[in-house]
C-alpha cells in the first residue's frame, strides 16, 4: 500500500543503441524526474547498459546514498533481467520485490519506428511502472522442502539414462514404463549410426543396471494416472496393470511363453513384422524378465479354456485373478521421457504402404535387419524368402511436408544412410536413396555419408511421387516389382525406377496421448505435440512448470546421444535441487483476508491446483500458499475483494493502469479524471 | 420407392446409351425413382470451364436452379456422368464458399426467372447412391445370376474421388467402393492398380499419342491382372478405352482385347435383365466373351488356367512376413 | 435494451486521431509472444500499452472499466490458447468473464469492438503483432471514446449523457451528433445534457 513515503529511483537503459536508437532516453529520464516527482521519484537517470555491473552499481549507490525504497528500471523484458535488478537491490539491502522492471525494448524500441511516438509510449510505460511500484510491498520467497525421490516417466534410453544418473548419485528413482519391458525404441533397432554399434549391445547393459539398481524402482506395464502437488512435493498415482503373473514368484524361465498356443501379430516390438505369443516377454533381454498375459487375446479370458501357462509354470506364478494395482509415491521432481511414435505411413496412400507387400517402414526394416528379428537378420521381401535385387529408401516420409508434418525429423537421413549400408552389407542389391537434403551434421556423420557414397549407393535428389505396382506397357519385363516414380531434380527429369523393395523413412511424431500427458503433469505441448521447454536455447530440458523436466524425443526429434545428454542435464538440475534440500518459490500467491470473506464460495471451484479450502466450521475460505501457483483467478473472482494476490495486487495493477494512461498517444498529459 | 432428382447429361442418349439404358433397367428392381429435371441443359463439360469460368458456372447453375424448383420430397441430385457430377457439385460448392459468385450467378439466373440457394441440394454420384442409399444388402438380394468366375477390374476414373467436396469417398487413390459393389454381384474383383488414373480425356483428339499411351496403360494393367473386362462409371473413360482401343492397338502394334462396360450393365445382367436391354452389343470392343463366360459355365482350358496363374504369380503368398494392419476394409464401411 | 453505441467522430484520418489501447497479457504466453515480436523486430503501431498479469484469469473486470475510465480508447485482453493455459484452464474462466464483460460494456454505451480478446501462444510473435495492428485500426475507425477522456465531467455524468443521447437517437429526435474533435486533448464532447 502506498504510504506517500516512497522514494523512487528511475533508471532508463539505453541498451547500447537498441533502445536509445529509437527512444529519446535522455528525454524520458528528464521527464520522469520532473513529471513524476509528485509520485515520489527522487532521482531519474539514464545509462548505457543497466544490466552491466556499472549500471547495477548505480542503483546500489543511489539506494545507499539517497535512501531509495523503490526502484523502477526501464529496459528489456522482465523475463530477461528481473532477477538481475532484484539482485542489485538485494545487495544494497532493499527487498528485491520493491523493484519493478518495465520493458521499453521488446515492447517499444524494437517494435516501433516512429521515434516521437516511441518516446511518448516509453514515458507512459515508465509512468505505469512508477505508479505500480508505489503499491509494492516487501515480500519473502516461500521456501519448500525438496523430496529426494524422482519420478521418471518413460523407460527408453532417455528415461534410463536419467534414472541411472540420479540413482548413481544415491537418490531413489521411480521409473515408470507403459510397455512390459524398459528399453523403448532403441531396443528395436539393429545398429546405431554412425558407429554401427549393435543397439541392443549398448542398451542392454544399461537396462540391466537400471533393473538391478538398488535405488531404482521399476514400474513396468504401468502408467501414471494422477499427479498432485508442486515442486519438491509431488504425490503421484501409478497404475500397475495386471500381468496375471506373480512378480515375486516368476523366475523368467519362459515356459509359459513356450507353451502358450495362441499367437498374434506383434504390433509393438516387432512393428507388425512378426508374431508373439499371448503370454509373452516382448524380447529375450526384457527387463524385468517377467512376462505378461495379453488379456484381449487370451483364450482363457475370452473362452474360459486353455490355461496352458498355468499348467506348466514350475513356480505357480500364474494368477488369472490378478487385478490392476494402484501405487502412490511421493517425489520431489518429475522427468518426462515419453519418447516418440513413428509417423503412420498408411496416411500417404501414394507410397503404397499396407497395400503393396514390399513397402516397409523404417521400424519394420530395423526388425528385419536385426539378427534376433523375425527373419534372423536376412533382408528379404514380404514373402520371407526372396532377396531383393534393388532396394529404394525414401527420406522425409511424413516430414518436411505441409500435408502431414512440417518439421524435419532429424534422424531419418542418418538412419536412411545406415539402411543403405546395411542392405549393401547383407545383400548384393543396388540401393537407391531418394532424398531432399542430406542432414548429416553430427560427429562422424558426414564421414559416414561419404562412406555410403563410396560404397556405391545411388542418390537421387527428389521427392518420390508414387510407389506403385501399376506397370506401364513398356515395363512389362518388370512384372512383380514395384516402380518408384521420382523427379530427379539434378538430372532435370522424371524417372521410373523398378525396385524389389522400398523402405520408407517415416518421421517421428509425439505419442498419440501427448496432450493428455501434458494436462496430467501440468505442462504445455506445442501445436505439434512436443513438450515445450522453458527456453529453446538456454533451458532446453526444463518446462515452464517448476519441478517437471523433460528429456529425449518427448521434446522433439533427436538422436540417442542428444537424448542421453538431455537426461544427464535434467538429472544434474534435479540433483542440485535435492542437494540443496529446499527451494525458494516466487511469492506470487493468493491470500484470503478472513475478515472480509463472506463464505460465498465463488472462488472455491476456480482453482485447478485444489489450493482453495473451505472451512465449514468458520464459513471462510483459505488458500494453501504452498499449492497456490499464483494465477490470480480467485483474486479476480472475489466479489468482496477479500482475496489479495501478492505481487499482482489490485492496487498495483489499477495503479499501473492509471500511470500507463496518464499520457495521450502523442505524449501530452491527459487531464486527470477526478477520482 | 426412393426418389431422387436426376440429371442425365448429354451422353446418356448418345455415346453412353448403354449407360443410360442400363440405369433405367436397374432402377426398377432397386426401387429408385429418378425424376429427370425438366428442361435441363448441357453442363458445359470441361470445355466451357476452360473458356470462361463464370459463364460455365452460370450454365451449370441453371440446372441446379431447375432442380431446386423441382424438389419434391428429396433434395438429392444424382448425376451418373462423372464430369456432370463434378460440375454440379463444384458449382454448388463454390456458390456456398463465395457469396459474390453466388450473387452473380443468381443475377444471371434471374434473367430466366430462376434462382438457386447454395447448398439447397446434395449432389451425389449414382454409385454413391447405390452403395449408401440402396445398400449392398438390397443389391445382393436382387442378384439372380451371380457373375461367378467373371474377373473384373474396377475403374473409377479421375473425377469422382477428387476433389470430393462432400467427403463421400474413403480413399482418393485406391477407392474400394466399386470393388464392393462388383463383389456383391458375385464377380471376382482383381486388384487393379490404376483405379483413378487418367484415361486421356480429350487427348485422343488433341494429342493422340498421349491419349493412346494412357489408354494402353489401363488396358495393359487390366490384362496383366487377368481381368475379363474393365468396369467403369464414366462415359468419357468408357468411350476412350472402347472406341479408341483399335486405334491404340494399331499405334502400338499390340492386340489387346479388353472390353469396358458400365457398372450398371453388370448390375443388370446380375439382376437377370436381357443383355440387349442393357446396351450390350453397342460396344466396339466386343463383350461377347464376357457374356459367354457367365452365360455358360465352361471348364477352364489348361492354357487359360496357366494364363490365370501367371497373372496371379506376383501376388503375395499366404506364408512369409505379415502385412501391416490396414483400417477395416469391410464393404459398406465407406 | 442496450443503447445503440454511437461513434462520436468523423473519419479518423481527417482528425489525425491516435487511439490509446491498453493490452492485458499473461506472463506465460501472450507476454512472451509480445517479447518474441520484439526480438524478431516485428513492427506494430505504438498505440498499445501492455500490462503484465500472471494469467488471463487474473483479469478483474474492474481493470477493464478502469482502463476505459482513465482514457483508453480500446482494451485488448490476451492469454494462452484454450487448452494451453500455464495454469491448466484459467483462460477459460477469463473467457467467461470476458464475454459477460463485453455485454456489460456494450450496455454502457461503449462499442463492443473496443474490447477485444486475442489468444496468442508464446511462439506467435508475428501473429500478436498482426492482431495489435488490426485492433488499433479498428479502434481508430471507431474514434475516441466519448467519456472520461479528459472530460471535465466525472465518468458517471458522461455515462448518463451518453445514455440520454442514445435514447434520443433511438426515438428519432435527431439529436446532433457530437462534433468531431481534431486534437484528442481535453475537449468536452458536445452531447445534449
Amino acid at each position: 500500500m502506498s504510504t506517500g513515503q516512497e522514494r523512487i529511483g528511475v533508471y532508463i537503459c539505453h541498451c547500447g543503441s537498441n533502445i536509445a536508437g529509437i527512444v529519446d532516453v535522455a528525454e524520458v529520464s528528464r521527464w520522469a524526474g520532473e513529471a513524476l516527482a509528485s509520485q515520489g521519484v527522487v532521482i531519474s537517470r539514464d545509462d548505457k547498459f543497466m544490466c552491466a555491473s556499472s549500471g547495477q552499481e548505480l542503483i546500489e549507490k543511489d539506494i545507499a546514498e539517497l535512501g531509495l525504497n523503490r526502484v523502477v528500471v526501464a529496459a528489456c523484458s522482465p523475463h530477461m533481467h528481473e532477477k538481475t535488478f532484484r539482485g542489485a537491490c538485494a545487495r544494497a539491502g532493499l527487498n528485491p520485490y520493491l523493484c519493478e522492471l518495465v520493458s521499453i525494448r521488446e515492447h517499444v524500441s524494437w517494435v516501433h519506428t516512429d521515434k516521437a511516438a516511441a518516446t511518448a509510449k516509453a514515458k507512459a510505460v515508465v509512468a505505469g511502472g512508477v505508479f505500480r511500484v508505489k503499491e509494492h510491498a516487501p515480500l519473502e520467497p516461500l521456501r519448500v522442502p525438496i523430496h529426494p525421490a524422482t519420478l521418471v516417466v518413460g523407460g527408453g534410453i532417455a528415461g534410463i539414462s536419467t534414472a541411472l544418473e540420479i540413482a548413481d548419485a544415491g537418490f531413489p528413482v521411480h521409473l515408470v514404463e507403459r510397455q512390459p519391458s524398459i528399453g523403448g525404441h532403441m531396443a528395436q533397432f539393429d545398429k546405431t549410426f554412425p558407429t554401427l554399434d549393435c543397439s541392443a549391445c549398448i542398451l542392454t547393459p544399461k537396462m540391466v543396471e537400471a533393473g538391478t539398481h538398488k535405488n531404482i524402482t521399476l514400474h513396468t506395464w504401468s502408467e501414471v494416472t494422477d499427479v498432485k502437488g508442486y515442486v519438491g512435493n509431488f504425490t503421484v498415482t501409478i497404475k500397475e496393470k495386471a500381468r496375471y503373473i506373480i512378480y515375486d514368484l516368476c523366475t523368467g524361465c519362459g515356459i509359459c511363453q513356450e507353451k502358450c498356443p495362441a499367437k498374434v501379430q506383434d504390433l509393438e516390438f516387432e512393428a507388425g513384422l512378426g508374431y508373439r505369443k499371448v503370454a509373452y516377454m516382448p524380447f529375450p533381454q526384457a527387463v524385468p524378465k517377467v512376462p505378461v498375459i495379453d488379456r484381449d487375446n487370451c483364450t482363457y479370458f475370452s473362452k474360459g479354456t486353455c490355461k496352458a501357462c498355468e499348467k506348466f509354470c514350475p513356480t505357480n506364478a500364474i494368477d488369472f485373478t490378478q487385478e490392476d494395482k494402484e501405487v502412490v509415491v511421493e517425489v520431489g521432481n518429475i522427468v518426462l521421457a515419453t519418447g516418440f511414435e513413428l509417423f503412420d505411413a498408411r496416411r500417404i496412400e501414394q507410397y503404397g504402404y499396407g497395400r503393396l507387400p514390399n513397402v516397409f517402414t523404417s521400424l519394420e526394416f530395423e526388425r528385419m535387419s536385426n539378427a534376433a528379428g523375425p527373419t534372423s537378420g536376412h533382408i528379404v521381401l514380404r514373402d520371407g524368402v526372396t532377396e531383393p535385387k534393388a532396394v529404394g529408401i525414401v527420406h522425409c516420409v511424413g516430414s518436411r511436408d505441409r500435408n502431414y508434418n512440417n518439421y524435419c525429423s532429424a534422424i531419418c537421413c542418418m538412419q536412411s544412410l545406415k539402411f543403405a549400408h546395411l542392405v549393401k552389407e547383407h545383400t548384393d542389391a543396388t540401393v537407391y536413396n531418394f532424398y531432399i537434403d542430406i542432414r548429416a551434421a553430427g560427429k562422424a556423420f558426414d564421414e559416414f555419408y561419404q562412406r555410403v557414397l563410396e560404397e556405391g549407393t545411388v542418390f537421387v535428389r527428389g521427392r518420390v511421387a508414387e510407389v506403385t505396382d501399376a506397370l506401364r506397357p513398356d515395363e512389362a519385363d518388370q512384372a512383380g516389382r514395384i516402380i518408384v516414380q521420382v523427379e530427379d531434380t539434378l538430372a532435370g527429369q522424371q524417372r521410373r525406377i523398378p525396385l524389389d523393395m522400398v523402405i520408407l523413412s517415416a518421421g517421428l511424431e509425439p505419442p498419440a496421448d501427448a496432450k493428455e500427458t501434458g494436462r496430467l503433469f501440468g505442462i504445455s505441448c506445442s501445436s505439434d505435440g512436443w513438450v515445450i521447454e522453458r527456453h529453446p536455447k538456454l533451458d532446453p530440458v526444463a518446462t515452464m512448470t517448476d519441478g517437471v523436466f523433460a528429456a529425449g524425443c518427448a521434446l522433439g526429434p533427436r538422436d540417442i546421444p542428444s537424448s542421453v545428454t538431455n537426461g544427464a542435464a535434467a538429472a544434474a538440475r534435479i540433483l542440485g535441487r535435492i542437494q540443496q534440500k529446499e527451494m525458494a518459490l516466487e511469492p506470487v500467491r493468493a491470500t484470503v483476508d478472513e475478515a472480509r470473506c463472506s463464505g460465498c464460495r465463488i472462488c472455491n471451484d476456480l482453482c485447478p491446483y485444489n489450493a482453495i479450502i473451505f472451512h465449514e466450521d468458520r464459513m471462510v475460505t483459505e488458500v494453501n500458499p504452498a499449492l497456490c501457483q499464483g494465477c490470480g483467478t480467485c483474486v479476480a473472482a472475489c466479489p468482496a475483494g477479500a482475496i489479495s494476490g501478492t505481487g499482482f495486487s489490485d492496487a498495483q495493477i489499477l495503479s499501473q493502469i492509471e500511470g500507463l494512461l496518464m499520457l495521450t498517444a502523442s505524449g501530452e498529459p491527459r487531464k486527470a479524471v477526478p477520482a | 420407392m426412393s426418389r431422387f432428382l436426376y440429371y442425365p447429361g448429354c451422353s446418356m442418349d448418345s455415346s453412353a446409351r448403354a449407360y443410360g439404358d442400363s440405369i433405367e433397367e436397374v432402377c426398377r428392381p432397386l426401387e429408385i425413382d429418378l425424376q429427370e429435371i425438366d428442361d435441363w441443359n448441357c453442363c458445359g463439360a470441361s470445355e466451357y470451364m476452360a473458356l470462361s469460368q463464370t459463364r460455365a458456372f452460370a450454365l451449370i447453375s441453371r440446372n441446379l436452379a431447375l432442380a431446386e424448383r423441382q424438389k419434391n420430397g428429396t433434395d438429392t441430385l444424382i448425376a451418373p456422368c462423372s464430369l456432370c457430377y463434378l460440375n454440379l457439385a463444384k458449382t454448388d460448392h463454390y456458390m456456398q464458399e463465395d457469396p459474390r459468385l453466388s450473387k452473380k450467378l443468381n443475377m444471371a439466373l434471374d434473367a430466366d426467372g430462376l434462382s438457386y440457394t447454395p447448398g439447397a441440394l446434395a449432389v451425389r454420384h449414382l454409385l454413391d447412391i447405390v452403395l449408401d442409399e440402396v445398400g449392398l444388402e438390397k443389391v445382393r438380394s436382387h442378384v439372380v445370376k451371380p457373375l461367378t468366375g467373371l474377373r473384373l477390374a474396377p475403374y473409377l476414373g479421375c473425377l469422382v474421388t477428387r476433389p470430393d467436396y462432400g467427403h463421400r469417398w474413403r480413399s482418393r487413390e485406391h477407392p474400394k467402393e466399386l470393388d464392393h459393389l462388383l463383389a456383391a454381384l458375385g464377380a471376382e474383383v482383381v486388384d487393379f492398380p490404376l483405379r483413378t488414373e487418367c484415361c486421356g480425356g480429350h487427348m485422343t483428339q488433341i494429342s493422340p499419342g498421349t491419349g493412346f499411351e494412357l489408354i494402353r496403360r489401363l488396358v495393359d494393367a487390366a490384362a496383366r491382372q487377368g481381368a475379363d473386362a474393365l468396369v467403369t462409371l464414366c462415359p468419357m473413360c468408357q468411350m476412350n478405352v472402347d472406341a479408341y482401343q483399335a486405334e491404340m492397338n494399331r499405334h502400338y502394334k499390340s492386340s489387346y482385347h479388353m472390353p469396358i462396360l458400365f457398372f450398371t450393365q453388370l448390375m443388370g445382367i446380375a439382376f437377370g435383365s436381357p443383355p440387349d436391354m442393357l446396351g450390350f452389343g453397342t460396344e466396339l470392343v466386343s463383350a461377347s466373351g464376357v457374356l459367354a463366360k457367365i452365360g455358360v459355365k465352361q471348364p477352364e482350358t489348361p492354357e487359360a488356367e496357366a494364363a490365370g496363374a501367371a497373372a496371379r504369380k506376383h501376388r503375395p503368398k499366404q506364408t512369409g512376413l505379415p502385412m501391416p494392419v490396414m483400417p477395416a476394409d469391410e464393404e459398406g464401411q465407406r | 435494451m442496450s443503447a445503440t453505441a454511437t461513434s462520436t467522430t468523423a473519419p479518423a484520418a481527417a482528425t489525425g486521431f491516435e487511439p490509446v489501447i491498453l493490452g492485458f497479457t499473461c506472463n506465460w504466453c501472450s507476454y512472451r509472444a509480445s517479447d518474441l515480436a520484439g526480438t524478431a523486430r516485428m513492427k506494430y503501431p505504438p498505440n498499445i500499452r501492455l500490462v503484465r498479469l500472471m494469467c488471463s484469469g487474473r483479469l478483474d473486470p474492474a481493470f477493464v472499466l478502469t482502463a476505459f475510465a482513465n482514457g483508453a480508447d480500446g482494451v485488448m485482453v490476451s492469454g494462452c490458447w484454450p487448452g494451453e493455459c500455464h495454469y491448466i484452464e484459467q483462460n477459460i474462466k477469463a473467457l467467461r468473464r470476458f464475454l459477460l464483460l463485453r455485454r456489460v460494456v456494450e450496455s454502457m454505451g461503449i462499442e463492443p469492438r473496443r474490447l477485444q480478446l486475442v489468444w496468442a501462444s508464446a511462439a506467435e510473435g508475428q501473429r500478436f503483432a498482426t492482431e495489435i495492428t488490426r485492433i488499433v485500426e479498428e479502434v481508430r475507425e471507431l474514434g475516441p471514446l466519448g467519456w472520461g477522456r479528459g472530460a471535465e465531467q466525472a465518468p458517471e455524468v458522461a455515462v448518463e449523457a451518453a445514455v440520454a443521447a442514445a435514447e434520443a437517437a433511438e426515438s428519432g429526435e435527431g439529436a446532433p451528433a457530437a462534433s468531431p474533435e481534431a486534437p484528442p486533448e481535453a475537449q468536452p464532447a458536445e452531447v445534449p445534457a
Side-chain angles (χ1 to χ4, degrees), chain A residues 362-445:
Chain A
S362 38
L363 271 181
E364 278 181 314
F365 184 78
E366 291 278 2
R367 294 310 307 150
M368 189 192 286
S369 165
N370 194 310
T375 64
S376 307
H378 296 295
I379 310 297
V380 287
L381 301 182
R382 194 73 68 166
D383 63 7
V385 173
T386 317
E387 233 185 53
K389 297 215 181 46
V391 177
I393 302 168
V394 184
H395 295 219
C396 307
V397 175
S399 306
R400 302 188 72 189
D401 189 333
R402 249 172 265 222
N403 298 309
Y404 305 101
N405 293 312
N406 234 350
Y407 54 80
C408 167
S409 289
I411 52 94
C412 326
C413 273
M414 284 310 295
Q415 174 195 82
S416 305
L417 294 175
K418 175 182 78 174
F419 290 164
H421 172 83
L422 289 172
V423 170
K424 278 217 169 285
E425 199 179 62
H426 293 238
T427 70
D428 294 321
T430 314
V431 179
Y432 293 84
N433 277 52
F434 303 101
Y435 70 100
I436 307 177
D437 295 290
I438 298 291
R439 296 196 159 166
K443 213 162 180 184
F445 285 14

Side-chain angles (χ1 to χ4, degrees), chain C residues 6-31:
Chain C
T6 49
S7 176
T8 58
T9 60
T15 61
F17 160 62
E18 287 297 333
V20 173
I21 320 265
L22 208 66
F24 291 95
T25 59
C26 79
N27 182 58
W28 303 98
C29 278
S30 47
Y31 191 87

Side-chain angles (χ1 to χ4, degrees), chain A residues 9 27 128 195 240 246 278 313 369 402 408 465 475 491 517 547 577:
Chain A
E27 165 57 22
T195 50
E240 293 180 346
I246 303 167
V278 163
C313 175
S369 165
R402 249 172 265 222
C408 167
E475 289 162 347
T517 307
R577 291 254 181 86

Side-chain angles (χ1 to χ4, degrees), chain C residues 17-18 23-24 35 69 71 79 81 98 116-117 123 131 134 176:
Chain C
F17 160 62
E18 287 297 333
F24 291 95
D35 273 359
W81 285 95
F98 173 83
Q116 301 215 19
L117 177 65
E131 290 292 286
R134 176 186 62 79

